[in-house]
Amino acid sequence: MSFGPGDPPYATPPQQPSDGARSTRNRAIAIGLSAAVVAGLAVFGTYMVLETSGAKENRSSGSAGRDDKPSGGDSGDTGGAIAGLKSWDAAELGRAHPTGDVDYPMTPPVGGDHNPSWLNCDGDVYEKAVPNVNAVHSLEHGAVWVTYSTKAADADVAKLAERVRSTPFTLMSPYAEQEGAITLSAWGKQVTVDRADDRRVDQFLAQYVQGPQTPEPGAPCTGGLETVPQ
């Protein structure tokens, strides 16, 4: 079999790259991949540094903004735990209505059996000591009883009286037998402070005036005794 001048010649087989050229190409690919990996790690490392720095800054800012001091002035925050708060089991506080005296285990009392008549507690300020048995009945209705001893400064007594007069479901009276200067009592709850501007005064009033501890929610603080029984 022969071919004429117009017939195409056999195709020339492709040339395979030499070992040197192949090695050079592989090195170039490896260098490129290595550079990409290094660049990626650098970007990731920068991101992590920024994230960590931001988190530390946020934690520092949050700690600085939180007031954990238990007392020392009105911070405007009436929520949260009340430092020094004393609590009694409501189930162990009697609610019978005897007509005689009752021996209470705490001073001032925060609950227990009490007289059938309550003291008016609609912001009432009593100049003389009041009977425990009548004040405790007011606590049963959700009132907060503010008491003070001779340790309290006159200015603090005046400030507390002004606060009580503007706060429904509160009453105030002197209480010579208590240990602290100023005591706030609700049913099963009590705290003692030294000054009228102690932030716990606002906390206690906000949380326990007709608070969840109230045995008879909705009971009135008017229509009871208007004057201290003699």
Side-chain angles (χ1 to χ4, degrees), residues 136-151:
V136 168
H137 196 154
S138 300
L139 302 186
E140 187 183 40
H141 290 194
V144 167
W145 183 17
V146 180
T147 55
Y148 59 93
S149 70
T150 55
K151 297 177 182 178

Side-chain angles (χ1 to χ4, degrees), residues 92-188:
E92 297 180 0
L93 297 175
R95 294 177 57 196
H97 289 170
T99 56
D101 291 335
V102 176
D103 185 18
Y104 295 103
M106 73 290 289
T107 303
V110 298
D113 297 343
H114 47 270
N115 190 273
S117 298
W118 63 88
L119 280 170
N120 280 347
C121 45
D122 194 29
D124 292 85
V125 176
Y126 298 91
E127 300 296 333
K128 297 181 179 180
V130 301
N132 288 333
V133 291
N134 302 106
V136 168
H137 196 154
S138 300
L139 302 186
E140 187 183 40
H141 290 194
V144 167
W145 183 17
V146 180
T147 55
Y148 59 93
S149 70
T150 55
K151 297 177 182 178
D154 291 343
D156 286 327
V157 173
K159 184 173 183 178
L160 286 171
E162 181 181 358
R163 178 66 185 275
V164 167
R165 290 190 180 99
S166 63
T167 306
F169 281 84
T170 63
L171 69 158
M172 177 175 171
S173 69
Y175 204 105
E177 296 85 359
Q178 71 182 33
E179 293 184 3
I182 300 165
T183 300
L184 291 87
S185 303
W187 189 271

